[in-house]
Amino acid sequence: MEHHSSLNTVQAGIKEGRLNLKNLVEEYLERIKAHRYLNAFIEVYENEALQRAAEIQDKISRKKAGRLAGLIIGIKDLICYRDHHISAGSKILENYKSIFSSTVVERLLAEDAIIIGRLNCDEFAMGGSNENSWFGPVKNYADNTKVSGGSSGGSAVAVQAGLCMAALGTDTGGSVRQPASFCGVVGLKPTYGRVSRHGIVAYASSFDQVGPLTTSVEDAAIIMEVIAGKDEYDSTSSTLPVPAYSQHLNVSGKKRIAYLPETLESEGLDPEVKALMEATIKKLQDEGHTVEPVSFPYLDYVVPTYYILTMAEASSNLARYDGVHYGYRSDNATDLESTYKKSRSEGFGTEVKRRILLGTFVLSSGHYDAFYDKAQRVRRLIRNKTEEILSYHDFILLPTSPGPAFGLGEKTDDPVVMYLADIFTVQASLAGIPAISLPLDNNSKNLPLGIQLIGKRFGENELLAFSKYLMDVTKGR
Ligand code: GLN
């Protein structure tokens, strides 16, 4: 199936009559069935996908097809699709059907993408291993004893295992980039405000962004071109015009790239990740780019700042799941108050409850100044310092994750250990700027390793172009 993996090759195949879209969808459906054990899909839209394939094949022959005709894509179970179930990986949304489509889904469909199913994820996108899903963990295709990463674990594994050509995930603090890194695929978190959040189940609204997981930078670029842009239903979406990313993937001239020495000295950094960082730095220097160390003094503060703020926002966002408005309602409730209490106690998983409790605590009047307010100030320092670095560098190069995919169950006993693994992804999230994870190598055990590039605010075009370049120059290492 390798040859089907990118949209360009599929579109060429269909045009030349070598490929038929319906057969292609059938092939993917077969593959999904054969790989059920990975637990990547929560639901497969089998009949619908086949029907759309026939319709779009017809449109292609009439030369009326959209830009994504031929793309077979999965969506994270956090992205609303009208008349389809959505559960955010949670029991509390059991049997809930969305009454409208998210803007990203509308835009995919308008360009003739085929949505093949919804993909497993950590409950309400809270997690970094997909082990917090009500539907159980997702297995890494490279090694079934390892986690997929999270929270968009199903999205990453579906692309890794060739169960769809691309997937949409969401990234609040690394949930597209970290599973992409664990699964050897490309994962982009756009600038905050680049992609509409309308119809995305909210975790932390000042961080959440939808992003593509793909096998190539080219596919990430074309998907971004379609989903990005102003949306009247999301007032935080930007009015800046969306460049034709896929048409501008060439890099000209030499770049200035910063790396943060603190990241390379960070405790717990896997030696093979460190070696890959060093090899990448060397390669870029050999190619004539300036790659230099720039100190980032706030690395120790990024994880606490991120968790205080996201838990606070989550505690507020998740108040709506009360057993009355949506989904699960406890059978044991006797009155209004016990409906709220029991439905929430029985409907939410442990990690979600922990975050609601901690988030409520940091927002409480006695502790607001010490935690929430302070974290907001530190967020500003982190953002300013990061932007200062990017005012005289084109990109920041850093690992995506301290290590490769870890073992299933390995980090579930201690939430803090799990949180600390987000150390390299949350900086771009706190700053609201774009970042991409690129599958640059495998380690000695054949597990994928990702390297991350952070770009300037709304600099997706330059980031994607340089990512393609970096993938090309490091190929075959
Ligand atoms: N692992 C991080 C968290 O649990 C990131 C999750 C995300 O980006 N949705 O919050």
Side-chain angles (χ1 to χ4, degrees):
M1 292 272 287
E2 282 309 307
H3 57 289
H4 294 328
S5 56
S6 101
L7 182 59
N8 270 338
T9 52
V10 166
Q11 287 182 338
I14 295 176
K15 212 165 147 196
E16 292 156 18
R18 281 183 287 110
L19 275 178
N20 172 286
L21 200 45
K22 193 150 173 267
N23 296 345
L24 191 60
V25 169
E26 277 163 0
E27 264 182 63
Y28 277 101
L29 291 170
E30 281 304 311
R31 248 187 104 76
I32 292 173
K33 273 198 199 109
H35 294 83
R36 281 263 179 244
Y37 67 93
L38 294 170
N39 204 21
F41 279 86
I42 294 175
E43 192 181 347
V44 183
Y45 309 141
E46 190 166 335
N47 294 335
E48 215 180 297
L50 286 168
Q51 196 188 330
R52 260 182 80 75
E55 284 164 19
I56 293 164
Q57 178 74 40
D58 181 54
K59 272 177 136 181
I60 295 173
S61 56
R62 289 187 289 115
K63 301 205 176 351
K64 289 263 185 297
R67 282 180 286 172
L68 298 184
L71 186 74
I72 297 166
I73 190 166
I75 55 174
K76 184 176 184 177
D77 184 29
L78 210 76
I79 301 177
C80 290
Y81 185 3
R82 191 188 164 129
D83 297 332
H84 291 70
H85 286 283
I86 177 163
S87 62
S90 182
K91 176 180 172 176
I92 209 157
L93 281 175
E94 203 174 36
N95 297 325
Y96 177 73
K97 257 192 191 167
S98 187
I99 54 170
F100 66 96
S101 284
S102 53
T103 300
V104 290
V105 161
E106 297 271 9
R107 292 185 179 175
L108 288 179
L109 294 176
E111 292 295 340
D112 289 333
I114 295 175
I115 299 178
I116 196 160
R118 68 183 161 113
L119 296 159
N120 204 342
C121 60
D122 280 303
E123 186 176 5
F124 287 100
M126 297 176 188
S129 66
N130 215 124
E131 292 167 297
N132 298 332
S133 168
W134 165 246
F135 299 92
V138 179
K139 291 178 180 157
N140 196 303
Y141 185 55
D143 176 345
N144 297 167
T145 67
K146 305 287 188 217
V147 300
S148 57
S151 65
S152 313
S155 300
V157 168
V159 177
Q160 176 192 29
L163 312 183
C164 49
M165 286 159 61
L168 288 188
T170 65
D171 191 312
T172 302
S175 275
V176 164
R177 292 162 283 157
Q178 184 255 29
S181 169
F182 284 8
C183 296
V185 302
V186 174
L188 171 72
K189 180 200 89 75
T191 306
Y192 182 77
R194 182 71 297 185
V195 178
S196 167
R197 290 180 294 111
H198 174 65
I200 309 304
V201 174
Y203 161 17
S205 306
S206 76
F207 294 77
D208 299 342
Q209 271 294 289
V210 174
L213 294 102
T214 54
T215 58
S216 69
V217 173
E218 289 89 333
D219 282 0
I222 182 85
I223 292 170
M224 275 301 293
E225 219 171 292
V226 169
I227 63 174
K230 181 65 190 164
D231 175 18
E232 59 171 322
Y233 294 116
D234 175 3
S235 61
T236 63
S237 66
S238 168
T239 52
L240 268 186
V242 179
Y245 302 119
S246 64
Q247 308 301 310
H248 300 106
L249 287 176
N250 290 329
V251 172
S252 58
K254 299 301 172 197
K255 302 294 176 197
R256 273 184 97 84
I257 298 149
Y259 70 89
L260 316 174
E262 292 84 358
T263 62
L264 295 181
E265 299 316 319
S266 134
E267 201 187 316
L269 181 67
D270 181 277
E272 289 189 89
V273 175
K274 186 172 181 179
L276 177 60
M277 269 296 292
E278 287 166 347
T280 310
I281 291 168
K282 169 106 184 17
K283 178 71 189 166
L284 287 169
Q285 286 169 337
D286 290 348
E287 296 291 325
H289 304 284
T290 305
V291 191
E292 55 192 11
V294 180
S295 176
F296 179 67
Y298 302 126
L299 192 64
D300 287 345
Y301 305 104
V302 294
V303 170
T305 306
Y306 167 82
Y307 275 96
I308 289 170
L309 294 175
T310 52
M311 288 178 184
E313 293 187 26
S315 73
S316 153
N317 273 327
L318 272 60
R320 71 190 67 166
Y321 306 103
D322 55 6
V324 178
H325 289 89
Y326 306 93
Y328 177 79
R329 181 178 301 169
S330 172
D331 288 336
N332 307 318
T334 49
D335 56 10
L336 185 64
E337 193 170 324
S338 69
T339 302
Y340 292 158
K341 279 190 180 161
K342 289 195 180 346
S343 302
R344 285 169 70 81
S345 301
E346 293 163 22
F348 288 133
T350 310
E351 182 59 28
V352 172
K353 283 186 216 168
R354 176 170 17 252
R355 294 192 191 199
I356 293 173
L357 290 172
L358 285 169
T360 306
F361 175 79
V362 300
L363 286 173
S364 61
S365 59
H367 300 98
Y368 183 92
D369 292 350
F371 293 102
Y372 183 75
D373 191 61
K374 194 170 188 176
Q376 288 287 28
R377 290 162 195 264
V378 180
R379 181 179 193 179
R380 174 56 70 172
L381 290 175
I382 292 165
R383 172 176 162 164
N384 287 354
K385 182 69 195 171
T386 306
E387 291 204 319
E388 183 196 314
I389 297 172
L390 286 167
S391 68
Y392 48 95
H393 291 88
D394 297 295
F395 309 106
I396 301 172
L397 182 76
L398 71 174
T400 306
S401 180
F406 44 86
L408 284 155
E410 195 180 311
K411 291 191 203 272
T412 41
D413 288 346
D414 186 348
V416 175
V417 171
M418 193 76 93
Y419 300 166
L420 285 171
D422 297 336
I423 183 160
F424 302 134
T425 47
V426 295
Q427 181 185 356
S429 308
L430 286 158
I433 53 182
I436 192 165
S437 178
L438 301 170
L440 291 195
D441 210 351
N442 286 346
N443 72 4
S444 50
K445 299 210 171 72
N446 231 3
L447 290 173
L449 298 178
I451 291 288
Q452 189 183 190
L453 271 175
I454 301 180
K456 296 184 206 258
R457 191 170 301 279
F458 295 105
E460 277 79 2
N461 210 150
E462 295 72 18
L463 183 63
L464 286 162
F466 195 73
S467 296
K468 176 170 154 35
Y469 164 82
L470 185 56
M471 294 272 284
D472 289 344
V473 289
T474 53
K475 207 177 265 166
R477 186 180 19 217

